[in-house]
Amino acid sequence: MTVTTDGIATKTLKNYVNGSWAEASGAELHPVLNPATGETIAQVPFSTAAHLDEAVEAARAALPAWRGVSTIARARKLFELREKLEARKDEIARTVVLEMGKTLPDATAEVGRMIEMVEAATAIPTTMQGRILEDVARGVDAETIRQPVGVCAAIAPFNFPAMVPFWFLPFAIACGNTFVLKPSEQVPMTQALVFESIDSLDLPDGVVSLVNGGREIVEGILEHPGIDAISFVGSAPVAQIVYEGAAKTGKRVQALGGAKNHMVICPDAVVDPTVKGLIGSGFGAAGQRCMAGSVIVTVGEGHDRVIPTLIEETKKLNVGNGLDEETDVGPVISCEARDRIGGWVQKAVDDGADLVVDGRDPGGDPEGAFIGPTILDNVKRDDPIIGEEVFGPVIAVVNVDTLEEAIEVVNASKFGNGVSIFTESASAVRKFRHDVEVGMVGVNIGVAAPVAFFPFSGWKASFLGDLHAHGPDAVEFFTRKKTITSRYFSGGATSGSYFVEH
Ligand code: NAD
């Protein structure tokens, strides 16, 4: 069944500021395109510094009262949000497909992960607890408590319109912070829908705001004196800009950048599930995941056991509109992205790689941004396509003789987001997980993206900062510690220096 976008009205999106929907008056409007058809599905305002100011002002004003709301009451708002999002799960997933292009099952899984973030944040009455030690000196106790950081802002990329903003939003507000979100200007509709659910929660005005826009809002966030912490997810060069900009103005920052993820195939890999894992990882979301397996490193006979089946199965994949049930691989985000990805493929071929599956002419709507699954075999270890992020449905295969060499290929990358090994050998896994310089490791798992209760822990150029997204790191990031040392003379404590009276 082919589902069309008929009936979706083209509308101008609004910001959500101080508890109300607000037109970004005077802002330039930019079209939001459906990447499968090229049609305009909404207009997004590129808000200005003045619009950001309004949101930050409201967030600052809301802070004292919100941090005073009990942790259990804040958690209950998240339980409520969970139910509201669950009720609109299908609608949110469809919107993800319309503006981002991934297939409906993939988008539905993304929305599931978004809701999981809310669930993890409901544990805040436990996870936000501090620690106490009695008798650090005679009659003296010490305790560390966690308090909110203040006004927190998040800047999101295009590839997970639902989930990525929720790596931050539920944890930030659960900890008693107030929060300003800038979604990607390429996919602003999903959060517009999600914020309808947030609006219906009756949170105090200003606790959560949404400001649409592009680079100007990011620069405004970096410089704004009213913002205390910034969470960024996007490409490596912009992560660097955000990290440096936040450091300059003394803000807490976590900046998640680009990636290049390796899939290491050992000679004993179990062929069919391995191929399934490689296809899901390399071509799911048309290769536009920061955990996409875009380099396969085959060890010895791993190549001839796995690659022929991979080629055969890849050729069976259907490219098309993500709303079509037969589609395995949707469009990439834009025609510019499609042409850039095609350029990478041609360059690798010119450098001597074997183009064993060529997806450059997959058919489909000529206005759509389609490029099909592509496999390049026998790629040189130092070819630029091995080192740089392509962010499309392109897998490059490198062949090596030993696991040690495979680990060398992995560790030569400037990125360190995700990596997977396919083998049944525990000793190979032990060596691999010990030696790889990558923050998220999969064993016989194609996309080893951690669940909400664990940190999303990329390394090297894939992450700038100290505290990662979600899991226990989220509570660390969204709170600051205060340590209190106390004694009471009426309770018998001595009045001497507590430094010496141990
Ligand atoms: P992007 O860097 O182009 O944009 C991300 C955000 O930064 C957007 O909100 C955009 O408005 C803003 N921005 C863009 N250019 C800017 C500039 N020059 N100055 C200031 N702000 C700017 O990224 P994208 O194309 O939207 O997303 C894809 C990238 O995100 C890929 O590199 C992917 O690997 C990465 N990503 C990383 C993770 C991770 O966890 N490490 C997760 C998802 C996506």
Side-chain angles (χ1 to χ4, degrees):
M1 180 189 66
T2 303
V3 185
T4 71
T5 57
D6 291 352
I8 303 288
T10 297
K11 61 172 182 177
T12 300
L13 300 174
K14 292 183 175 168
N15 292 338
Y16 184 80
V17 175
N18 206 17
S20 311
W21 291 102
E23 243 172 66
S25 53
E28 250 180 50
L29 296 179
H30 290 241
V32 180
L33 304 180
N34 177 342
T37 61
E39 68 184 312
T40 298
I41 47 179
Q43 302 283 342
V44 62
F46 271 37
S47 306
T48 61
H51 300 118
L52 177 66
D53 268 347
E54 286 167 23
V56 176
E57 214 171 281
R60 283 232 83 82
L63 195 54
W66 181 242
R67 63 167 286 206
V69 170
S70 74
T71 45
I72 189 65
R74 296 200 301 258
R76 283 187 185 131
K77 283 291 177 195
L78 293 172
F79 281 115
E80 223 181 296
L81 178 59
R82 186 211 175 274
E83 295 310 306
K84 287 175 186 287
L85 294 174
E86 191 66 41
R88 298 185 80 172
K89 199 171 174 175
D90 295 344
E91 201 184 344
I92 298 169
R94 256 184 76 85
T95 307
V96 169
V97 180
L98 283 181
E99 63 179 356
M100 189 276 167
K102 64 181 68 172
T103 63
L104 191 54
D106 198 12
T108 305
E110 177 187 343
V111 177
R113 274 284 170 108
M114 170 179 87
I115 293 172
E116 187 183 287
M117 298 297 151
V118 181
E119 290 167 344
T122 59
I124 208 69
T126 304
T127 54
M128 201 177 154
Q129 288 176 12
R131 56 200 305 177
I132 180 162
L133 183 65
E134 278 189 328
D135 297 321
V136 292
R138 205 167 309 141
V140 178
D141 303 330
E143 65 191 293
T144 296
I145 57 174
R146 293 180 180 281
Q147 296 189 334
V149 176
V151 175
C152 301
I155 301 155
F158 79 80
N159 62 333
F160 284 99
M163 177 185 74
V164 165
F166 271 61
W167 282 357
F168 312 110
L169 187 155
F171 297 101
I173 64 170
C175 290
N177 301 283
T178 53
F179 187 84
V180 178
L181 172 67
K182 188 205 90 65
S184 164
E185 63 276 29
Q186 295 187 91
V187 293
M189 294 169 68
T190 302
Q191 288 300 321
L193 196 56
V194 167
F195 267 67
E196 284 181 12
S197 297
I198 290 176
D199 183 43
S200 69
L201 287 178
D202 282 333
L203 285 169
D205 293 348
V207 170
V208 184
S209 296
L210 171 75
V211 180
N212 286 295
R215 184 177 172 160
E216 192 179 337
I217 296 302
V218 176
E219 289 166 355
I221 288 172
L222 291 175
E223 279 159 25
H224 205 295
I227 291 174
D228 301 293
I230 302 175
S231 303
F232 170 85
V233 183
S235 59
V238 184
Q240 187 77 35
I241 292 170
V242 168
Y243 190 64
E244 287 173 9
K248 209 178 274 178
T249 47
K251 299 184 199 310
R252 187 174 285 206
V253 62
Q254 48 184 186
L256 287 71
K260 193 81 195 178
N261 309 299
H262 299 75
M263 307 277 109
V264 173
I265 314 298
C266 293
D268 70 334
V270 183
V271 176
D272 288 346
T274 296
V275 166
K276 207 170 165 205
L278 296 174
I279 285 180
S281 183
F283 304 135
Q288 301 166 111
R289 292 191 191 124
C290 66
M291 292 292 278
S294 51
V295 178
I296 291 180
V297 187
T298 54
V299 179
E301 287 174 9
H303 182 275
D304 290 357
R305 292 190 61 238
V306 169
I307 300 302
T309 312
L310 175 67
I311 292 171
E312 198 182 308
E313 293 302 314
T314 298
K315 287 180 175 165
K316 293 181 191 162
L317 297 173
N318 291 318
V319 178
N321 190 319
L323 289 174
D324 189 327
E325 275 176 12
E326 279 84 48
T327 295
D328 300 301
V329 180
V332 293
I333 186 65
S334 64
C335 293
E336 294 75 39
R338 175 199 61 200
D339 297 344
R340 179 181 50 75
I341 296 161
W344 271 108
V345 174
Q346 189 54 48
K347 190 173 173 332
V349 171
D350 295 345
D351 289 348
D354 297 334
L355 186 58
V356 291
V357 183
D358 184 357
R360 286 176 295 176
D361 190 12
D365 190 327
E367 303 299 319
F370 293 106
I371 178 162
T374 298
I375 302 178
L376 296 149
D377 198 0
N378 299 312
V379 184
K380 294 191 206 88
R381 280 163 69 159
D382 59 355
D383 194 279
I385 203 166
I386 300 300
E388 300 299 328
E389 185 175 44
V390 173
F391 223 52
V394 179
I395 290 178
V397 184
V398 175
N399 314 303
V400 298
D401 295 324
T402 63
L403 180 61
E404 286 73 13
E405 277 180 87
I407 293 170
E408 270 174 34
V409 173
V410 171
N411 289 349
S413 175
K414 65 183 169 191
F415 298 111
N417 216 38
V419 70
S420 296
I421 184 168
F422 292 84
T423 181
E424 296 298 301
S425 160
S427 67
V429 170
R430 170 66 176 61
K431 179 172 179 50
F432 186 76
R433 60 185 276 173
H434 185 272
D435 291 356
V436 284
E437 291 165 10
V438 179
M440 290 175 276
V441 179
V443 178
N444 295 314
I445 291 186
V447 183
V451 292
F453 327 103
F454 284 81
F456 197 89
S457 49
W459 284 14
K460 294 161 80 176
S462 298
F463 178 72
L464 302 173
D466 309 290
L467 297 168
H468 295 281
H470 60 78
D473 279 31
V475 179
E476 288 287 337
F477 185 80
F478 289 116
T479 58
R480 49 185 175 173
K481 298 183 199 88
K482 185 179 274 181
T483 300
I484 300 129
T485 307
S486 58
R487 64 182 166 188
Y488 297 95
F489 302 118
S490 54
T494 59
S495 60
S497 162
Y498 104 93
F499 274 113
V500 291
E501 293 198 0
H502 289 286

